[in-house]
Amino acid sequence: NKADIERSKKDIIINPSKKLFSEVYNNSLVAYIIIDDSGSIISANIAATRLLGRSSMRLNNVSFFSCIDTNKTEHLILLKEKFRNGITIADEEIEIGRSGHVAWAMLSIFHLTDNNGDKTSLVTLLDITKQKEIDIAKSEFVSLASHQLRTPIAGMRWSAELLLMDGVESLTKQ
C-alpha cells in the first residue's frame, strides 16, 4: 500500500532526527534547560548541570530563577516579570550562584508549546565566566595603573605649590 510506504519513509526520517536532536541537546557545549510555565526545571543537559553546579536529579522541579544570584534582586524581578508575561529574553548577562565560586552566563529564554499544547520554555545559558574574569582583571589593571601614574604627578604638583606659596619673586634660579 502506498500510504504505508510513505508512513515508513517518515518513520525512517523522524526517528533518527529525534535521536539526533537528543544527542545534540544532551551533549551540546551550550547549557540548555527546559522549564515549565511556572519556571520549574523539567530537563537540563550536561552543560547546564556543570554550569549550575548541580546534578540533573537535584535540578528537577527546582525553580530556575532560584539558580540565579539573588544579590541582583531588581534584575531578577525584571527577568521573572518578562518570563511571566511571555516576553522573550535574549542575551541577558546573569550571575549564577554556585557553592565555591560565581559563574557568569548570557541568558536567553524562548517560549514554546509542546506536542500536548502545554507551554514550556527553552533556556539557553552561554558560559561567559572566563570573559567576565578577564574584563574584571582589565578594569582592575587600568584602575591600578591610572592610580600609580597619578601619584607621582600629584607629589610634583604639591611640591610646586609649596614653592609658590611665598610668591614667584622669592624663588631663585637654584
Side-chain angles (χ1 to χ4, degrees):
N1 173 339
K2 194 173 185 176
D4 290 337
I5 293 171
E6 287 300 316
R7 237 180 275 119
S8 293
K9 284 182 183 178
K10 285 182 182 177
D11 284 345
I12 290 170
I13 294 169
I14 291 172
N15 287 336
S17 67
K18 284 182 181 180
K19 185 177 180 189
L20 178 63
F21 171 79
S22 181
E23 288 292 318
V24 169
Y25 173 81
N26 286 320
N27 299 315
S28 174
L29 297 176
V30 176
Y32 291 119
I33 301 171
I34 298 174
I35 57 176
D36 63 18
D37 62 343
S38 68
S40 295
I41 297 173
I42 298 170
S43 170
N45 71 351
I46 295 167
T49 59
R50 285 185 188 136
L51 184 61
L52 298 176
R54 302 181 194 181
S55 70
S56 58
M57 297 299 260
R58 289 185 53 216
L59 284 174
N60 281 343
N61 296 320
V62 169
S63 170
F64 167 72
F65 294 101
S66 69
C67 299
I68 297 174
D69 187 24
T70 54
N71 292 336
K72 314 278 191 254
T73 52
E74 292 173 7
H75 190 217
L76 182 61
I77 290 168
L78 179 66
L79 290 173
K80 284 181 180 179
E81 203 57 36
K82 282 182 174 182
F83 173 74
R84 276 192 216 110
N85 290 320
I87 298 170
T88 297
I89 298 170
D91 298 331
E92 289 278 344
E93 190 176 282
I94 62 165
E95 199 172 330
I96 299 171
R98 300 193 303 193
S99 58
H101 70 284
V102 174
W104 291 87
M106 290 300 274
L107 165 73
S108 296
I109 301 177
F110 307 97
H111 302 282
L112 309 166
T113 304
D114 67 12
N115 293 338
N116 300 328
D118 296 328
K119 292 183 179 184
T120 60
S121 297
L122 175 66
V123 176
T124 63
L125 296 169
L126 185 59
D127 189 353
I128 59 166
T129 304
K130 288 181 182 172
Q131 293 91 326
K132 192 71 174 172
E133 289 170 353
I134 290 169
D135 284 346
I136 291 168
K138 282 181 193 175
S139 295
E140 288 175 358
F141 173 76
V142 168
S143 176
L144 181 65
S146 66
H147 174 74
Q148 294 297 330
L149 290 172
R150 275 184 293 194
T151 302
I153 293 170
M156 288 186 280
R157 195 169 128 217
W158 291 335
S159 296
E161 286 177 9
L162 283 172
L163 289 171
L164 293 173
M165 281 179 110
D166 292 334
V168 179
E169 57 279 341
S170 66
L171 295 176
T172 63
K173 282 188 175 188
Q174 199 176 18

